[in-house]
Amino acid sequence: MGSLPYAADAESPLKPAELQVLRAQYEKEGPYISLQTKFNYSWGLIKSSSRPDQQEGVLLLSDIFKTSPERRRECLYYLALGNYKLGNYAEARRYNDSLLELESGNLQAQSLGQLIDEKVSREGMVGMAIVGGVAAAVAVGVGMLVRGAQRKR
């Protein structure tokens, strides 16, 4: 449990040379990629600031999750983190909640859960403000049309 990074750690990408080392190892192993190499590379991709890298990292982790039951618990956190970074908050919450069901005292998962909730709340407020602004604009537009129709009479 202590080896899992806090969510904030994912915000600091690896140096390009560090990610390249992971990529080179991944490519070198070709069709016989070890589970650990695949896992390390996927984590490096998730830490990346590049959205395509993050997406690839989530795909690799999803594959590990499906095919390697012994790594599922570890994958839950990283899948939650990757989906959080991609803005897939429902998926992030689902993976994170699954981990918390297994380990209710997991501080990293608790921390990530708070970040997910804050982001959803913030974006919900922004979404409501946008909807409210659109509704106000529509109301003004309808009001102008009604006034214009009344003037023509």
Side-chain angles (χ1 to χ4, degrees):
M1 184 167 79
S3 65
L4 297 178
Y6 283 89
D9 292 344
E11 297 302 321
S12 57
L14 296 177
K15 293 180 176 80
E18 294 170 324
L19 184 57
Q20 186 52 42
V21 167
L22 295 174
R23 180 177 285 122
Q25 181 64 35
Y26 179 81
E27 291 170 353
K28 182 178 118 187
E29 292 183 20
Y32 306 104
I33 299 166
S34 75
L35 191 58
Q36 190 60 50
T37 296
K38 189 174 188 178
F39 189 85
N40 292 346
Y41 181 49
S42 65
W43 172 236
L45 290 168
I46 284 173
K47 283 182 65 86
S48 172
S49 52
S50 159
R51 188 171 176 83
D53 282 354
Q54 294 165 359
Q55 290 168 327
E56 184 181 356
V58 167
L59 285 173
L60 290 172
L61 275 174
S62 295
D63 185 55
I64 293 170
F65 183 81
K66 290 174 192 163
T67 60
S68 304
E70 71 279 6
R71 295 299 289 265
R72 283 194 179 137
R73 186 209 60 80
E74 197 174 11
C75 285
L76 285 171
Y77 178 76
Y78 295 112
L79 283 166
L81 200 52
N83 278 291
Y84 169 77
K85 288 186 72 173
L86 288 169
N88 302 331
Y89 304 122
E91 281 295 294
R93 181 177 280 145
R94 188 171 63 86
Y95 285 118
N96 201 57
D97 287 350
S98 294
L99 179 56
L100 285 169
E101 282 179 30
L102 296 171
E103 300 177 9
S104 60
N106 185 310
L107 297 177
Q108 291 89 347
Q110 290 172 8
S111 168
L112 181 56
Q114 289 173 340
L115 288 175
I116 294 167
D117 291 345
E118 289 169 10
K119 199 71 143 177
V120 167
S121 176
R122 235 178 301 149
E123 290 196 3
M125 294 295 184
V126 169
M128 287 174 27
I130 291 170
V131 169
V134 169
V138 168
V140 167
V142 168
M144 291 171 70
L145 288 173
V146 168
R147 275 192 222 117
Q150 287 174 345
R151 285 186 189 145
K152 288 181 180 176
R153 288 185 188 168

